[in-house]
Amino acid sequence: MLSIFVVTASTSLVSAQPPEPGHRFLPPPPVPDAPFGLSDLDAAGPLFPEQRLADDAYPMAPPPVVVDGQVVDSAMSQDASVIGYSLSDFLSLAAQNNPTLRQARLQISGETAKALQAGLYPNPTLIYSGEQIGVDVPGDKDSPGEFQGMIVEQRFVTAGKLRLSREKYMRRAHVSEHLAIAQQFRVCNDVRMHFYQTLAASQILQLRRELLKTAEDGAVTARELYNLGQATRPEVRRSNIALQRARLDVLTAENHYREQFRRLVSLVGVDFAVAPVAGSLMPETAPLSYQDALSTLLAESPELMAARAKLAEDRVTLQRERVEWVPDIVARGGAGYNFDAKETVAAAGVSIELPVFDRNQGTIRQAHADLMRQQEEIRRTELDLQRRLASTYQRYLTSLQIATEYDRVIIPEAEMAYKELLESYKDNRVDWPDVLSAQNDLFDARLTQIQQLEMVRSNEVLVRGFLLHGGLEAAPRPTPPGHIDATPQPR
């Protein structure tokens, strides 16, 4: 990291020079106090009620910044011994604790359970039968009836309906497996993207702290120059403004880091305090070409594989509906006692439904329409992936090109310009504002590089991760809206 040098006046010159005869020496404007913490804000009144800058002395030690009841002015630890959490730590925690991953796995279990149930044979039915109970017999007495007995009834499923039903739901479980893989990519991609965003926020925070140190040195230098008669009071006030803005930038950067870290923690499903993160924003793999990314996406995308698996399931569903009209055979048999004939008798019967009017015509058409729709859904998914890849790859390539040129040309040139102006200032050949301007240009270049590297890593994750994100969105169901199972018997 580039060291920033600030030239200040010698401490022996801090004391004010004796004023010229007839002139009264005015002390320089005071250094402003640090920004208010959360506990100092009054929501019932103006932003800072009865707090205004005045030309009297302010305490040099800034008050602590309090957030959520804790002192956070220096909460972002700068201890070099604190290594911080790595990307692998967050990925491991997410794999164990993210609820959407468990939901996706349970969805597979639910579909396999449906397949088990759909292939089970119907249970037999045990029937008690009594005929003409209480009929009168000679002597005007009630009789137990003509027949009393037990009958067993069994439905025999034909045309392989049970096999097709089980295969249908097993195919649907296969769809759920692809959707579970897609959900894994969503969670992992989101964790990676939020990790790089948190890492970039951490580096921006460090850069803002460097800028704050520079602003503090600039404020001291302006006061010393004023004591020497080489700066005016407005120039000192401008340095105070720059110092206060730098302080606010640090507070903003700290708040942004906490936000990014908490968003990252929400994805892994474990609550822990804000802490440093460790990693690199520099790309670790060779750049991807658009054609390679597109071919990989169309060949291995879990979304596309799930759509193709759904097409196979719809084919089985159509076969199943085409045999639904084939009637099952219902056989019954039993034994009992015939009180009229005074002997034990047997009973037997076979029934079959005649498909005269209802041959499942409408449901077959609906299943065929679902099949045709799913064929178009595969094509729609391919086109949608290409559309999303086009915009994502454009952002990836543009940010990669910008970050490369900043690292190769702009930042080295800004460093050399700053060093040369600093040497010229030491030789009294340029003014100090020129040095500050070059320094600000250098800091802006480094800030832009960090932002572009963040975009590079985030979009690289999407390009390599099949464009999947949304780690807290529930995995989609294998049956889309409007499918045949949504309304099994439309009326």
Side-chain angles (χ1 to χ4, degrees):
M1 182 178 293
L2 176 65
S3 298
I4 305 300
F5 304 96
V6 178
V7 179
T8 61
S10 173
T11 56
S12 61
L13 299 177
V14 172
S15 59
Q17 298 296 321
E20 298 180 7
H23 293 274
R24 182 172 62 88
F25 176 77
L26 293 176
V31 177
D33 204 354
F36 283 87
L38 183 62
S39 61
D40 299 317
L41 299 180
D42 183 7
L47 287 178
F48 303 103
E50 301 180 1
Q51 299 288 346
R52 297 291 183 269
L53 290 177
D55 285 341
D56 53 355
Y58 279 78
M60 296 303 296
V65 177
V66 180
V67 176
D68 297 338
Q70 298 180 355
V71 178
V72 297
D73 189 37
S74 58
M76 312 313 301
S77 175
Q78 302 180 49
D79 187 358
S81 63
V82 179
I83 299 177
Y85 294 100
S86 65
L87 176 59
S88 59
D89 296 332
F90 289 106
L91 289 174
S92 299
L93 289 172
Q96 300 171 9
N97 301 283
N98 187 283
T100 65
L101 296 179
R102 292 195 291 269
Q103 286 179 329
R105 291 192 292 267
L106 291 172
Q107 194 161 268
I108 300 174
S109 301
E111 295 302 327
T112 55
K114 289 180 182 179
L116 173 63
Q117 184 64 34
L120 296 178
Y121 216 81
N123 291 325
T125 303
L126 181 62
I127 305 172
Y128 164 76
S129 178
E131 298 179 0
Q132 297 184 1
I133 298 176
V135 67
D136 290 341
V137 294
D140 196 21
K141 296 181 180 180
D142 293 337
S143 69
E146 182 178 339
F147 174 81
Q148 297 271 357
M150 302 296 293
I151 297 176
V152 177
E153 182 179 278
Q154 177 66 53
R155 176 180 293 273
F156 294 93
V157 183
T158 61
K161 297 188 186 76
L162 297 180
R163 176 185 59 81
L164 289 173
S165 295
R166 177 164 291 179
E167 183 181 356
K168 165 187 172 180
Y169 285 104
M170 288 303 297
R171 295 277 186 177
R172 192 170 295 177
H174 189 48
V175 177
S176 297
E177 291 176 354
H178 289 297
L179 295 177
I181 294 174
Q183 190 64 25
Q184 291 178 358
F185 274 101
R186 286 189 180 94
V187 173
C188 292
N189 290 349
D190 250 20
V191 169
R192 289 188 174 95
M193 293 170 62
H194 282 79
F195 176 82
Y196 292 130
Q197 292 169 5
T198 305
L199 185 60
S202 175
Q203 295 186 8
I204 291 175
L205 175 58
Q206 297 300 324
L207 185 61
R208 291 298 183 188
R209 283 175 175 155
E210 294 181 34
L211 283 169
L212 175 59
K213 182 61 173 62
T214 301
E216 291 172 347
D217 293 340
V220 173
T221 301
R223 293 169 68 85
E224 293 176 349
L225 292 176
Y226 176 82
N227 291 336
L228 294 173
Q230 298 178 10
T232 62
R233 291 177 66 85
E235 291 174 339
V236 177
R237 294 190 183 277
R238 283 198 293 266
S239 68
N240 288 343
I241 294 173
L243 172 60
Q244 201 71 353
R245 285 177 174 172
R247 288 171 172 172
L248 290 173
D249 288 340
V250 170
L251 290 180
T252 302
E254 288 184 350
N255 294 336
H256 181 62
Y257 176 79
R258 293 188 187 94
E259 175 198 1
Q260 293 298 332
F261 189 89
R262 288 162 182 163
R263 288 165 63 92
L264 175 60
V265 168
S266 68
L267 287 167
V268 304
V270 178
D271 295 331
F272 49 90
V274 177
V277 293
S280 174
L281 281 177
M282 298 301 294
E284 300 173 356
T285 57
L288 277 173
S289 68
Y290 177 79
Q291 291 301 325
D292 291 342
L294 179 60
S295 60
T296 302
L297 182 64
L298 295 182
E300 303 177 12
S301 170
E303 290 180 290
L304 198 53
M305 296 177 73
R308 291 167 179 161
K310 185 65 179 64
L311 180 65
E313 187 254 319
D314 283 342
R315 290 195 179 102
V316 177
T317 300
L318 180 58
Q319 296 177 18
R320 174 63 181 82
E321 296 303 328
R322 282 175 173 169
V323 300
E324 174 63 21
W325 69 272
V326 178
D328 295 336
I329 298 174
V330 180
R332 61 170 57 191
Y337 189 77
N338 191 317
F339 288 90
D340 188 20
K342 307 297 184 182
E343 61 180 348
T344 301
V345 295
V350 176
S351 65
I352 186 172
E353 179 183 348
L354 298 179
V356 177
F357 305 107
D358 182 4
R359 291 187 295 275
N360 206 35
Q361 302 97 317
T363 309
I364 292 174
R365 290 184 180 182
Q366 185 182 2
H368 186 266
D370 286 343
L371 177 64
M372 300 301 294
R373 183 177 60 181
Q374 189 60 30
Q375 291 177 345
E376 298 301 324
E377 175 65 15
I378 293 176
R379 180 57 179 163
R380 187 203 67 81
T381 303
E382 291 176 346
L383 296 176
D384 183 61
L385 289 174
Q386 294 181 42
R387 177 188 62 82
R388 290 154 53 191
L389 179 62
S391 57
T392 304
Y393 187 83
Q394 179 271 333
R395 293 193 299 269
Y396 162 73
L397 181 61
T398 301
S399 56
L400 180 62
Q401 291 170 334
I402 294 175
T404 300
E405 292 308 307
Y406 267 80
D407 184 68
R408 187 178 69 91
V409 177
I410 297 177
I411 290 182
E413 289 291 328
E415 290 176 352
M416 293 303 299
Y418 171 69
K419 290 180 179 179
E420 291 170 358
L421 284 172
L422 188 60
E423 292 298 327
S424 298
Y425 174 77
K426 293 178 181 179
D427 297 335
N428 294 323
R429 290 187 286 122
V430 296
D431 295 330
W432 180 245
D434 295 333
V435 180
L436 290 179
S437 177
Q439 186 186 63
N440 290 332
D441 290 342
L442 175 58
F443 275 115
D444 289 342
R446 292 172 57 190
L447 178 61
T448 302
Q449 184 191 34
I450 293 174
Q451 294 170 342
Q452 293 299 321
L453 286 174
E454 174 194 340
M455 293 185 62
V456 170
R457 297 311 298 268
S458 297
N459 288 284
E460 181 185 33
V461 167
L462 289 176
V463 171
R464 295 183 181 275
F466 306 109
L467 307 176
L468 293 169
H469 62 92
L472 287 179
E473 297 178 3
R477 297 177 57 84
T479 304
H483 190 265
I484 186 173
D485 285 351
T487 52
Q489 292 182 346
R491 291 291 183 265

